Amino acid sequence: MEKRIDTNAEAGLPAAPAIALPSDHPRVRSGRIGVLLMNLGTPEGTSYWPMRAYLKEFLSDRRVIEEPRWKWWPILNLIILSTRPGRKGKDYATIWNKERDEGPLKTITRSQTEQLAQRLQGFAGDRIVFDWAMRYGFPDVKSRIQHLQNEGCDRILFVPLYPQYAAPTTATACDHAFRALMEMRWQPAVRTVPAYHDDPAYIGALATSMRASLAKLDFEPQIILCSFHGMPKENLLKGDPYYCQCAKTWRLLRDALGLPEERFRMTFQSRFGPDEWLQPYTDETVKALAQGGAKSLAIVAPGFSADCLETLEELDGENREIFLHNGGEKFAYLPCLNDSAEGIDVIEALVRRELMGWA
């Protein structure tokens, strides 16, 4: 005997033509759309072993470290994973969200997802399911994709929260999602949000946020550094568009703020290893400016959608110290868009655009 099931009704969606299923057919949910926000990741704790697990996953990624395994594996396992977890754990401890016992990137990404869900509640009601995941660490991408499918999502929009495309960020996040799909018997249809480095909504939100942050200062910075996360120069020579997209963001933001190039400069931070990385380097620029007589400086990081170790500890901590110890007097770090109204405006605009035809 067959029974007729309206799977959309089970999911709280508009009625769809009933599907004839055998009486012993397992329950099936379908007709919903998943939106999965993805960011880089954060360790589960600041002590040695959580830090080691996080760094091992991160630094084992071939998208991040392109050295041959025979060369890189001994360096990673015998040297880096013996010494670096302790040092980085101390750095994370300075920015750790002690109330939630988690890194700030996790706190902010969760809030971004929750606010986005509230914003779009009237867009498609319960038809859209929102979730978030980390490329490294937890919640992991694979489990969240499975969760969305269990919730009846047969279409999923992946939202890598990287304004500028790079193989070690956007590509590896999508790689991870696609690997999860490879193991699924019944794959959902998927889309990915492209880089939004020059999107008017993004540039406008950055300009608005920067103006508000600058207005709160008790000084006017002589120079503002636009600091992006670095990458090996070799990646650029191999064809990665990251440098060019950073430069375009910098130029468009400079135009939006009406600042001359000598006052709004582009730099790159967070280099790792002995190879040449994209230049000019942020820390060296900060030191040279202070030693050259600059008394006030601000730094903004428009390559990050949320504040994290590289912004809160490295820019607002290490580079503040470099500037003040070399003759500078006034320093400010201007926060990322994070889960501010402007930040959610950007994510909402991207998601609405990419869901066209689906919702």
Side-chain angles (χ1 to χ4, degrees):
M1 179 178 177
E2 293 186 341
K3 60 181 179 180
R4 302 180 72 82
I5 298 177
D6 183 351
T7 54
N8 281 19
E10 287 190 359
L13 307 177
I19 302 172
L21 296 175
S23 58
D24 60 347
H25 195 285
R27 181 172 178 268
V28 178
R29 300 187 72 181
S30 64
R32 305 180 90 184
I33 299 167
V35 174
L36 184 65
L37 274 59
M38 299 187 293
N39 218 317
L40 184 74
T42 180
E44 291 299 292
T46 61
S47 60
Y48 176 82
W49 289 109
M51 283 302 312
R52 190 182 194 279
Y54 172 73
L55 288 172
K56 180 165 184 163
E57 184 181 12
F58 175 53
L59 296 174
S60 297
D61 189 345
R62 291 179 182 270
R63 291 282 197 180
V64 175
I65 305 294
E66 297 186 10
E67 295 286 350
R69 297 292 95 174
W70 65 265
K71 179 180 178 182
W72 176 242
W73 225 239
I75 297 173
L76 174 62
N77 288 282
L78 299 179
I79 302 174
I80 294 176
L81 293 181
S82 297
T83 59
R84 196 169 178 82
R87 295 200 306 269
K88 299 309 290 184
K90 292 178 182 177
D91 291 341
Y92 267 100
T94 65
I95 65 166
W96 201 249
N97 182 340
K98 294 181 176 59
E99 182 179 349
R100 285 183 172 269
D101 191 24
E102 63 187 22
L105 188 64
K106 187 176 288 191
T107 304
I108 295 167
T109 307
R110 179 191 297 108
S111 178
Q112 289 171 327
T113 306
E114 292 172 349
Q115 291 194 55
L116 180 66
Q118 293 175 357
R119 290 272 194 101
L120 294 181
Q121 192 170 23
F123 180 51
D126 293 335
R127 189 181 176 200
I128 303 180
V129 183
F130 297 88
D131 209 338
W132 57 283
M134 296 291 168
R135 167 59 184 91
Y136 310 105
F138 301 97
D140 64 289
V141 172
K142 180 180 178 180
S143 70
R144 303 330 296 163
I145 292 176
Q146 187 61 61
H147 169 74
L148 290 172
Q149 189 180 50
N150 294 342
E151 288 295 310
C153 298
D154 45 33
R155 304 180 187 196
I156 299 177
L157 175 65
F158 298 138
V159 188
L161 292 174
Y162 308 106
Q164 298 80 21
Y165 175 95
T169 54
T170 310
T172 191
C174 292
D175 285 348
H176 209 45
F178 299 150
R179 276 194 290 269
L181 294 176
M182 288 172 64
E183 299 177 6
M184 297 177 71
R185 172 68 62 180
W186 186 357
Q187 293 179 336
V190 299
R191 292 177 178 175
T192 61
V193 170
Y196 51 98
H197 62 285
D198 58 354
D199 192 293
Y202 166 64
I203 300 299
L206 284 175
T208 298
S209 177
M210 283 186 64
R211 290 190 192 99
S213 295
L214 290 168
K216 296 176 183 177
L217 301 180
D218 61 358
F219 67 96
E220 183 177 356
Q222 293 172 258
I223 297 170
I224 302 173
L225 294 187
C226 190
S227 181
F228 295 91
H229 198 289
M231 72 159 52
K233 183 179 178 180
E234 184 180 2
N235 290 28
L236 169 64
L237 301 179
K238 288 179 177 178
D240 198 299
Y242 178 73
Y243 176 86
C244 299
Q245 293 188 0
C246 290
K248 190 170 185 181
T249 297
W250 166 61
R251 176 176 58 80
L252 292 174
L253 185 55
R254 189 182 74 226
D255 292 345
L257 295 169
L259 294 172
E261 186 172 339
E262 62 270 15
R263 191 173 168 220
F264 191 60
R265 307 184 188 183
M266 180 172 72
T267 59
F268 294 90
Q269 63 186 87
S270 309
R271 64 188 184 277
F272 176 77
D275 295 334
E276 181 182 358
W277 281 44
L278 297 178
Q279 296 192 39
Y281 299 138
T282 298
D283 55 355
E284 292 184 0
T285 302
V286 168
K287 183 177 181 179
L289 287 171
Q291 293 179 344
K295 296 302 180 185
S296 60
L297 176 71
I299 301 182
V300 65
F304 297 86
S305 62
D307 279 309
C308 53
L309 186 75
E310 286 79 7
T311 63
L312 298 175
E313 193 278 330
E314 183 179 350
L315 292 182
D316 199 17
E318 292 179 19
N319 281 274
R320 176 188 295 273
E321 186 175 342
I322 291 171
F323 187 68
L324 297 179
H325 283 191
N326 284 278
E329 296 176 357
K330 298 278 190 175
F331 179 95
Y333 168 69
L334 310 182
C336 293
L337 291 175
N338 293 321
D339 55 352
S340 65
E342 293 83 10
I344 307 304
D345 286 345
V346 176
I347 302 174
E348 179 184 0
L350 298 173
V351 169
R352 281 182 178 271
R353 182 186 68 208
E354 299 303 323
L355 286 181
M356 291 180 66
W358 278 7

